Amino acid sequence: MTLPRRRVRRIPLNAAAVVTVVVCLFPVYWMVSTAFKPSRDIQSAEPRLVPYTWTLDHFRRAVQADGFELFWRNSILVTLGAVVLSLVVALGASFAVARLRWRGRRQFMLLVFVAQMAPWESLIIPVYIISRDTDMLDRLPTLTLVYFMITLPFTIVVLRGFLATIPPELEEAAQVDGCTRTGAFVKVALPLLAPGLMATSLFGFITAWNEFAYANFLIIKQQDNRTLPVWLSSFQNTFGTDWGATMAASTLFALPALVIFLLLQRHVTSGFAAGAVKG
């Protein structure tokens, strides 16, 4: 019995998809498996894909490390602050671009795209100089503003594309029924923007949560204001790197983003797809 031609044609695509998934997920699997391996197995000359023995000692050392709770709090405050700020500002900007007609609208979106394309690392020195001259070094609000600046262009682009797919007649009908323009947007368009808001929120969360360079350069003296990515480097010392504790801490560090992605996966996928329909 021969396979249909459509299935035969899909075999190379399915094989490529499987290879891609394996290549992307293997480092994550290796990180998690290393976190559960005893130290003697981590340093073994013969690496093992599956640990023969399992241990929680590395997780215990990671949780008991200095600043664990403090750095978690800092990361949560900075990340949530940046996400909320970018959503509020991007909502107003995307509404102005998608619904209003004003001179310079195209130029504004061009500048947003340029800001999105600029590499973040190229801005470290200017941001450091500005923070130093304004006495904003070693402060969590500075990191919040930097992450807000990084995530804002992408948030505007996605929300503007998503808002363009919502017929303006829905808001006009609400205005006929007595709503103000703002009230019509809040009651009609905003609920329909939920997938786009979730997609951009997830992007902003992951970006701010994982960022290391700015947190390392802008928080120098006040060690208590550092975030989790910088804390991960504390497992290195003059005697080497505690790989077990580092992998355990990295596993704990990756859990919040993974949980949020799994909870919002369906909405995030539809949000990105809808936001790419119209530009």
Side-chain angles (χ1 to χ4, degrees):
M1 182 177 180
T2 60
L3 292 174
R5 289 185 178 180
R6 182 178 300 177
R7 291 187 179 181
V8 173
R9 293 175 181 175
R10 292 178 60 182
I11 289 177
L13 296 176
N14 293 336
V18 171
V19 171
T20 302
V21 170
V22 171
V23 170
C24 293
L25 291 183
F26 181 76
V28 179
Y29 167 77
W30 192 256
M31 175 187 72
V32 176
S33 65
T34 302
F36 287 99
K37 291 179 182 178
S39 298
R40 63 178 182 275
D41 292 343
I42 297 176
Q43 302 295 336
S44 175
E46 299 178 359
R48 299 168 178 172
L49 291 177
V50 180
Y52 283 178
T53 56
W54 300 73
T55 180
L56 295 176
D57 290 341
H58 303 311
F59 288 93
R60 193 174 297 111
R61 287 205 304 275
V63 172
Q64 294 175 353
D66 293 337
F68 177 76
E69 297 179 357
L70 181 62
F71 294 150
W72 269 88
R73 186 205 67 181
N74 293 343
S75 288
I76 291 174
L77 290 177
V78 169
T79 301
L80 293 182
V83 170
V84 171
L85 278 176
S86 63
L87 285 180
V88 172
V89 176
L91 268 176
S94 60
F95 176 82
V97 173
R99 288 289 189 263
L100 306 180
R101 296 294 179 265
W102 43 278
R103 183 177 299 177
R105 183 169 59 95
R106 295 180 182 274
Q107 290 77 4
F108 171 79
M109 285 305 302
L110 178 61
L111 291 176
V112 171
F113 278 109
V114 170
Q116 175 64 25
M117 291 186 294
W120 306 335
E121 292 79 5
S122 65
L123 303 177
I124 289 181
I125 294 178
V127 170
Y128 175 84
I129 293 175
I130 294 173
S131 301
R132 182 197 62 190
D133 294 343
T134 56
D135 195 25
M136 289 293 290
L137 287 177
D138 299 305
R139 298 186 181 183
L140 289 179
T142 304
L143 274 183
T144 303
L145 291 176
V146 169
Y147 296 159
F148 159 71
M149 173 189 68
I150 292 174
T151 57
L152 181 60
F154 177 84
T155 308
I156 292 175
V157 170
V158 173
L159 289 183
R160 179 248 186 180
F162 196 92
L163 187 58
T165 64
I166 301 176
E169 291 78 11
L170 297 178
E171 297 170 56
E172 294 172 0
Q175 289 180 261
V176 171
D177 291 338
C179 285
T180 62
R181 189 161 197 170
T182 303
F185 175 78
V186 172
K187 295 180 180 179
V188 177
L190 192 59
L192 299 177
L193 279 174
L197 294 174
M198 292 181 182
T200 52
S201 298
L202 180 63
F203 169 81
F205 181 89
I206 293 177
T207 300
W209 186 259
N210 293 333
E211 204 284 321
F212 171 82
Y214 283 97
N216 192 42
F217 277 95
L218 298 181
I219 307 296
I220 301 174
K221 297 179 181 179
Q222 297 294 332
Q223 303 294 325
D224 290 344
N225 286 339
R226 292 197 165 186
T227 54
L228 282 175
V230 182
W231 169 73
L232 290 177
S233 63
S234 64
F235 295 99
Q236 286 183 326
N237 51 49
T238 56
F239 301 101
T241 302
D242 187 347
W243 290 112
T246 301
M247 295 299 103
S250 300
T251 301
L252 295 174
F253 173 72
L255 283 179
L258 177 62
V259 171
I260 292 177
F261 176 78
L262 293 177
L263 292 175
L264 303 181
Q265 180 182 9
R266 184 177 304 175
H267 300 287
V268 167
T269 303
S270 61
F272 279 127
V277 172
K278 286 189 178 182

